[in-house]
């Protein structure tokens, strides 16, 4: 093949590189009919003729090198190989790393089995079977790197695979259509047993170093397609539907047949003319009908593929069954649940597919039920569709179930809020009595002081509750003060609770004292923060913003509770840990609140999701995952921003920045809030 090129280089003034540039070395697989073959020692074939025509358009001569398929693949990956171009099939879903031309001709691969074997509906039907795969072919490229449930048997040729199939060494051969069509007449016991499994396209392929050459080949290939010459070659080599046509013999036969027809036509010209006219009309009608059928088939095929793609893309399980529970079609999403013993009705009842299917088919009424599988919730629907068949729809409903639970929890919390408001009102009455009575006790103690002094002079050994009268009066006075302070504190907490439980009946924001929001929230959470060290740094004068005090109370209470949860009460003796800090202030005409702690902190993955509804790291401790989500919504309604910073084992800081400027400062002292 290359000897004429080398010999011409010895006797030509041109260099070997210059002469090499005038040729395209085309590697041909010697056992790939009907695309290439040798007839009477002459190389023929669709790819050869197409490549030679491309050579004419690119002013290059085509030199054919015949090798095995594996040798060609090795050469095309070798930068030093003399092979420039080969023709291979590539799966339509996978790009080869080498330089490729535009698609030349479409093909596909399907499964072939012995006569009498079951039809193969898809890859799942190959599970557990021995499947012959031609090594390095486009089927091999397609399945490489994918999970294979069948036992793969490598063969060098598809014909070898057919021979091993007859010998019983394999169960299935996955072969490319053109080659299999040539082989089937020689192996009558083998038949096509599936629809196309892989679609591929013939391409010219070359090493990346020949990218410029591939560009010229593509330009020539497009020119042939635009001129219609490409379609002529397609019709010549594939249009007859046979794998090979001997053009010379066919032309001779047609020539003699034409002479005979001409003689017969001369004898019966009128009759032949009438028949010819009828045949032309009939041919035009048949061609028109054939074209219409092809268009209809093409549209139906496209529609079928689109419909299949839509069904396969549905995230929910869709399965079509008959009365015998035979699966007629499925998109294979979560169908294993239907036969699992852990797939139960929501009330705990066991589910049996055959019983439920028979119930729907007999009654022709749909069955819709909520199911549970381990920790997941599902909705099962079985619908009668006629012909003793039913469709099963399986949709995961875990999120909807959680939403229902959250709604129920919110309703319970709302009821608890109303109940708390009523309890607060009831507590206020005895608290008022205590405050009123203790004032009387304080005044009485002042008057009793003189009487006690006089009586002690008369009875020096007189004791009050086991104490000396003066000491007892001091203790009574101190206890009275303590009771009064406690009652006032109860009154403040109850009032704060009542204000927090009031419904938000207006969307209009009012001026509110930010320090007051912090103070009220601390009083409501005093029972939780009492075991921690709380540092409070409130801006003076206190910032005032437009907002809803009830909603901001809810935000601050939630942030303080989260800080308490992050701290470890068992490490209360460690002065560097378990510190909760709250700060208010104004910076750059913007009001802010900072709540920080020195607790466990969060990693970056948790930090990105903390405002998502139902996301919580305290699920086992009763956390619902709604706290920060609600806080985020309230802060956005106040046109503010929550800024989070956290590190594992270093604590968390949450800063709320109100975008609007403060309304006006107040000068009330902090003591009125504490």
């Amino acid at each position: 093949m290359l000897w004429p090129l080398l010999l011409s280089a010895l006797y030509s003034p041109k260099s070997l590189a210059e002469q090499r540039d005038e040729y395209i070395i085309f590697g041909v697989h010697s056992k790939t009919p009907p695309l290439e073959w040798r007839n009477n020692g002459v190389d023929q074939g669709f790819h050869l003729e197409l490549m030679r025509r491309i050579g004419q358009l690119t002013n290059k001569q085509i030199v054919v090198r015949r090798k095995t398929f594996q040798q060609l693949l090795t050469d095309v990956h070798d930068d030093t190989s003399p092979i420039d171009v080969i023709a291979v099939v590539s799966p339509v879903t996978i790009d080869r790393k080498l330089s490729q031309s535009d698609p030349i001709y479409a093909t596909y691969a399907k499964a072939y089995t012995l006569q009498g074997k079951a039809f193969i509906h898809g890859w799942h039907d190959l599970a557990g079977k021995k499947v012959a795969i031609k090594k390095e072919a486009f089927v091999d490229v397609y399945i490489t790197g994918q999970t294979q449930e069948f036992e793969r048997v490598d063969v060098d040729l598809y014909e070898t695979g057919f021979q091993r199939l007859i010998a019983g060494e394999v169960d299935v051969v996955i072969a490319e259509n053109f080659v299999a069509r040539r082989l089937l007449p020689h192996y009558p016991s083998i038949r096509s047993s599936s629809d196309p499994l892989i679609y591929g396209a013939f391409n010219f392929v070359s090493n990346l170093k020949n990218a410029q050459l591939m560009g010229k080949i593509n330009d020539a290939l497009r020119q042939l397609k635009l001129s219609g010459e490409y379609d002529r070659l397609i019709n010549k080599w594939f249009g007859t539907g046979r794998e090979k046509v001997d053009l010379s013999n066919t032309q001779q036969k047609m020539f003699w047949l034409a002479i005979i027809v001409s003689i017969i036509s001369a004898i019966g010209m009128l009759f032949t003319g009438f028949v010819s006219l009828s045949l032309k009309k009939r041919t035009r009608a048949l061609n028109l009908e054939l074209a219409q059928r092809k268009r209809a088939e093409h549209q139906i095929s496209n529609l079928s593929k689109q419909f299949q793609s839509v069904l396969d893309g549905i995230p929910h399980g869709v399965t079509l069954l008959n009365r015998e529970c035979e699966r007629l079609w499925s998109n294979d999403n979560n169908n294993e649940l239907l036969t699992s013993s852990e797939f139960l009705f929501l009330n705990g009842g066991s589910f049996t597919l055959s019983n439920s299917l028979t119930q729907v088919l007999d009654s022709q009424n749909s069955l819709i039920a909520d199911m549970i599988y381990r920790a997941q919730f599902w909705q099962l629907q079985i619908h009668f569709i006629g012909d003793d068949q039913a469709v099963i729809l399986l949709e995961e409903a875990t999120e909807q179930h959680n939403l229902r639970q959250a709604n129920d929890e919110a309703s319970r919390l709302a009821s608890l809020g109303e109940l708390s408001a009523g309890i607060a009102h009831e507590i206020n009455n005895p608290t008022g009595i205590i405050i009123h009575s203790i004032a009387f006790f304080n005044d009485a103690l002042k008057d009793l002081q003189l009487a006690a002094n006089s009586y002690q002079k008369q009875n020096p050994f007189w004791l009050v509750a086991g104490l000396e009268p003066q000491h007892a009066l001091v203790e009574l006075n101190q206890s009275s003060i303590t009771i009064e302070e406690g009652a006032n504190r109860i009154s403040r907490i109850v009032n704060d609770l009542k204000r927090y439980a009031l419904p938000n009946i207006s969307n209009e924001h009012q001026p509110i004292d930010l320090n007051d929001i912090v103070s009220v929230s601390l009083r409501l959470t005093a029972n939780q923060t009492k075991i921690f060290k709380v540092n409070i740094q409130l801006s003076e004068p206190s910032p005032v913003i437009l907002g809803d005090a009830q909603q901001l109370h809810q935000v601050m209470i939630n942030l303080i509770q989260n800080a308490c949860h992050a701290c470890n009460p068992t490490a209360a003796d460690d002065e560097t840990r378990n510190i909760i800090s709250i700060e208010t202030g104004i910076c750059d005409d913007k009001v802010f609140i900072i709540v920080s702690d020195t607790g466990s902190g969060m990693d970056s993955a948790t930090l990105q999701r903390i405002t998502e509804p139902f996301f919580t790291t305290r699920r086992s401790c009763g956390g619902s995952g709604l706290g920060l989500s609600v806080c985020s919504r309230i802060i956005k309604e106040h046109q503010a921003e929550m800024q989070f910073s956290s590190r594992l084992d270093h604590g968390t800081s949450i800063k709320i920045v109100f975008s609007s400027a403060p309304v006006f400062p107040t000068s009330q002292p902090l003591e009125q809030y504490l």
Side-chain angles (χ1 to χ4, degrees):
M1 296 295 180
L2 290 178
W3 288 112
L5 178 63
L6 297 175
L7 291 175
S8 62
L10 297 175
Y11 299 100
S12 172
K14 296 182 180 180
S15 67
L16 180 60
E18 291 174 340
Q19 289 198 19
R20 177 67 180 83
D21 190 53
E22 297 177 358
Y23 291 85
I24 298 177
I25 309 301
F26 184 45
V28 175
H29 180 202
S30 57
K31 296 183 179 181
T32 316
L35 304 178
E36 291 93 28
W37 59 75
R38 182 173 292 179
N39 187 20
N40 296 326
V42 179
D43 290 327
Q44 296 184 14
F46 169 73
H47 283 153
L48 294 178
E49 186 169 350
L50 178 62
M51 196 65 195
R52 289 191 179 107
R53 189 67 186 94
I54 291 173
Q56 294 173 2
L57 293 176
T58 56
N59 295 322
K60 294 180 181 291
Q61 296 186 32
I62 305 301
V63 176
V64 177
R65 289 289 302 274
R66 287 191 172 273
K67 292 188 176 184
T68 65
F69 186 66
Q70 284 73 19
Q71 289 174 333
L72 291 176
L73 288 175
T74 301
D75 287 346
V76 81
H77 284 85
D78 185 1
D79 291 344
T80 63
S81 171
I83 297 296
D84 293 322
V85 180
I86 66 172
V88 296
V89 183
S90 294
V92 296
T93 56
I94 300 176
D95 292 333
R96 293 184 181 270
K97 296 180 180 179
L98 302 174
S99 295
Q100 296 190 93
S101 70
D102 290 346
I104 299 173
Y105 199 79
T107 184
Y108 56 85
K110 57 165 67 173
Y112 294 86
T113 64
L114 295 176
Q115 295 282 358
K117 297 297 183 179
F119 192 81
I120 295 173
H121 296 277
W123 291 98
H124 54 274
D125 287 342
L126 298 177
K129 300 184 184 304
K130 294 182 179 179
V131 181
I133 304 293
K134 180 180 176 182
K135 193 172 183 181
E136 301 294 342
F138 88 113
V139 179
D140 184 12
V141 174
Y142 176 80
I143 66 174
T144 297
Q146 300 187 23
T147 302
Q148 302 170 11
E149 298 180 357
F150 54 83
E151 181 181 346
R152 170 178 172 162
V153 179
D154 290 335
V155 295
D156 57 342
L157 297 170
Y158 291 127
E159 188 169 8
T160 305
F162 277 23
Q163 292 170 355
R164 298 189 69 173
L165 180 62
I166 293 175
E169 298 176 3
V170 297
D171 302 312
V172 181
V173 178
I174 299 181
E176 188 265 323
N177 172 56
F178 284 126
V179 179
R181 189 171 63 182
R182 173 184 65 86
L183 294 174
L184 285 178
H186 303 290
Y187 298 94
S189 61
I190 297 177
R191 66 151 186 161
S192 169
S193 298
S194 76
D195 293 329
L197 298 175
I198 311 170
Y199 288 94
F202 282 98
N203 300 83
F204 290 134
V205 175
S206 69
N207 195 280
L208 293 176
K209 68 182 179 64
N210 294 326
Q212 184 176 4
L213 172 62
M214 186 55 68
K216 295 179 180 179
I217 291 176
N218 271 331
D219 292 340
L221 184 59
R222 293 166 191 147
Q223 184 176 346
L224 291 174
K225 290 181 178 180
L226 291 174
S227 66
E229 189 171 355
Y230 173 84
D231 293 333
R232 181 186 63 79
L233 290 176
I234 291 291
N235 186 62
K236 173 182 176 181
W237 290 99
F238 306 118
T240 60
R242 299 190 303 174
E243 61 177 277
K244 176 183 174 184
V245 177
D246 189 342
L247 296 179
S248 300
N249 293 335
T250 301
Q251 289 174 354
Q252 292 177 2
K253 292 178 181 178
M254 292 300 296
F255 175 75
W256 288 108
L257 181 60
I259 292 177
I260 296 174
V261 171
S262 298
I263 295 174
I264 296 175
S265 298
I267 296 174
M269 183 177 299
L270 293 177
F271 177 76
T272 305
F274 174 76
V275 173
S276 177
L277 182 61
S278 300
L279 289 175
K280 287 181 180 179
K281 291 181 179 180
R282 181 60 177 167
T283 300
R284 284 196 296 269
L286 290 175
N287 288 338
L288 179 60
E289 182 181 356
L290 180 61
Q292 292 174 345
R293 288 188 177 183
K294 286 184 177 180
R295 285 196 297 268
E297 290 176 356
H298 182 69
Q299 292 174 353
I300 292 174
S301 177
N302 288 339
L303 182 61
S304 177
K305 291 178 181 178
Q306 293 173 357
F307 182 67
Q308 184 67 37
S309 299
V310 170
L311 291 177
D312 290 340
I314 294 176
H316 313 310
V318 181
T319 305
L320 184 64
L321 299 175
N322 59 15
R323 183 177 290 273
E324 289 73 26
C325 287
E326 294 176 343
R327 186 170 60 180
L328 307 179
W329 182 90
S330 174
N331 64 355
D332 296 326
N333 285 340
N334 303 309
N335 289 321
E336 68 277 0
L337 298 183
L338 298 175
T339 57
S340 174
S341 59
E342 298 181 74
F343 190 60
L344 307 172
F345 288 102
L346 193 59
N347 60 8
S350 61
F351 169 77
T352 304
L353 177 60
S354 58
N355 295 341
S356 299
L357 183 62
T358 302
Q359 175 186 344
V360 170
L361 293 177
D362 290 342
S363 64
Q364 298 187 5
N365 293 324
S366 299
L367 170 64
I368 301 177
D370 292 327
M371 313 295 292
I372 185 171
Y373 176 74
R374 297 179 181 174
Q376 296 176 328
F377 296 89
W378 298 80
Q379 185 182 69
L380 173 70
Q381 299 184 35
I382 306 179
H383 300 284
F384 174 76
I385 59 173
D387 294 334
D388 227 17
Q389 297 175 2
V391 63
I392 297 180
L393 306 178
L394 193 59
E395 177 183 0
E396 185 177 2
T398 303
E399 184 175 354
Q400 292 88 331
H401 181 81
N402 290 337
L403 285 172
R404 286 196 298 269
Q405 286 187 329
N407 183 60
D408 295 341
E409 182 67 20
S411 298
R412 288 194 296 271
L413 291 176
S415 301
L416 180 60
E418 296 177 0
L419 180 61
S420 299
I423 294 175
H425 177 75
E426 294 299 326
I427 292 176
N428 259 346
N429 292 332
T431 303
I433 294 174
I434 294 174
I435 294 174
H436 177 75
S437 299
I438 204 65
F440 173 76
F441 290 156
N442 288 335
D443 294 338
L445 285 174
K446 293 178 183 178
D447 295 337
L448 289 174
Q449 180 69 45
L450 296 175
N453 292 337
S454 176
Y455 185 75
Q456 188 176 14
K457 290 179 181 179
Q458 299 177 13
N459 186 2
F461 301 102
W462 175 52
L463 298 177
V464 178
L467 299 175
E468 295 181 358
Q470 295 300 326
H471 188 188
L473 289 174
V474 171
E475 289 294 331
L476 285 172
N477 186 62
Q478 184 64 35
S479 298
S480 176
I481 295 174
T482 302
I483 292 172
E484 183 176 12
E485 289 179 350
N488 288 329
R489 181 174 177 83
I490 291 174
S491 180
R492 286 198 303 269
I493 292 175
V494 168
N495 289 332
D496 291 341
L497 185 60
K498 288 175 65 177
R499 283 199 299 170
Y500 179 75
L502 284 175
N504 184 19
I505 60 176
S506 175
N507 291 326
E508 296 182 0
H509 289 174
Q510 303 293 328
I512 57 174
D513 188 322
L514 208 58
N515 288 356
D516 183 50
I517 296 295
V518 174
S519 301
V520 171
S521 301
L522 283 171
R523 285 199 294 270
L524 291 175
T525 57
N527 188 55
Q528 294 171 281
T529 60
K530 64 184 180 182
I531 62 174
F532 303 111
K533 181 179 180 181
V534 181
N535 294 333
I536 304 173
Q537 185 177 351
L538 303 180
S539 175
E540 291 296 342
S542 176
V544 176
I545 63 170
L546 291 177
D548 186 303
Q550 176 190 348
Q551 290 184 336
L552 292 180
H553 285 153
Q554 183 177 355
V555 172
M556 286 301 301
I557 290 172
N558 191 280
L559 297 184
I560 293 173
Q561 288 176 339
N562 285 350
C564 293
H565 293 153
C567 294
N568 182 9
T570 61
D573 297 335
D574 189 349
E575 297 182 355
T576 63
R577 304 298 297 271
N578 298 321
I579 299 176
I580 300 174
S581 302
I582 302 176
E583 177 185 355
T584 63
I586 302 175
C587 180
D588 297 332
D589 294 331
K590 293 184 178 181
V591 176
F592 67 85
I593 301 177
I594 299 176
V595 179
S596 59
D597 63 75
T598 58
S600 57
M602 296 175 284
D603 57 25
S604 58
T606 303
L607 196 60
Q608 291 176 357
R609 300 186 59 192
I610 54 177
T611 59
E612 292 182 12
F614 307 111
F615 175 77
T616 178
T617 58
R618 302 183 62 255
R619 183 77 64 188
S620 60
C621 301
S624 65
L626 290 173
L628 284 178
S629 176
V630 173
C631 291
S632 177
R633 175 184 58 79
I634 293 174
I635 292 304
K636 289 179 181 178
E637 291 176 355
H638 283 74
Q639 298 182 353
E641 178 186 4
M642 295 180 72
Q643 301 172 357
F644 299 89
S645 63
S646 182
R647 290 175 57 196
L648 282 175
D649 298 325
H650 288 78
T652 300
S653 177
I654 302 177
K655 183 177 183 180
I656 303 174
V657 181
F658 297 88
S659 59
S660 59
V663 180
F664 53 83
T666 63
S667 57
Q668 289 94 346
L670 176 62
E671 286 75 8
Q672 70 168 335
Y673 304 116
L674 300 178

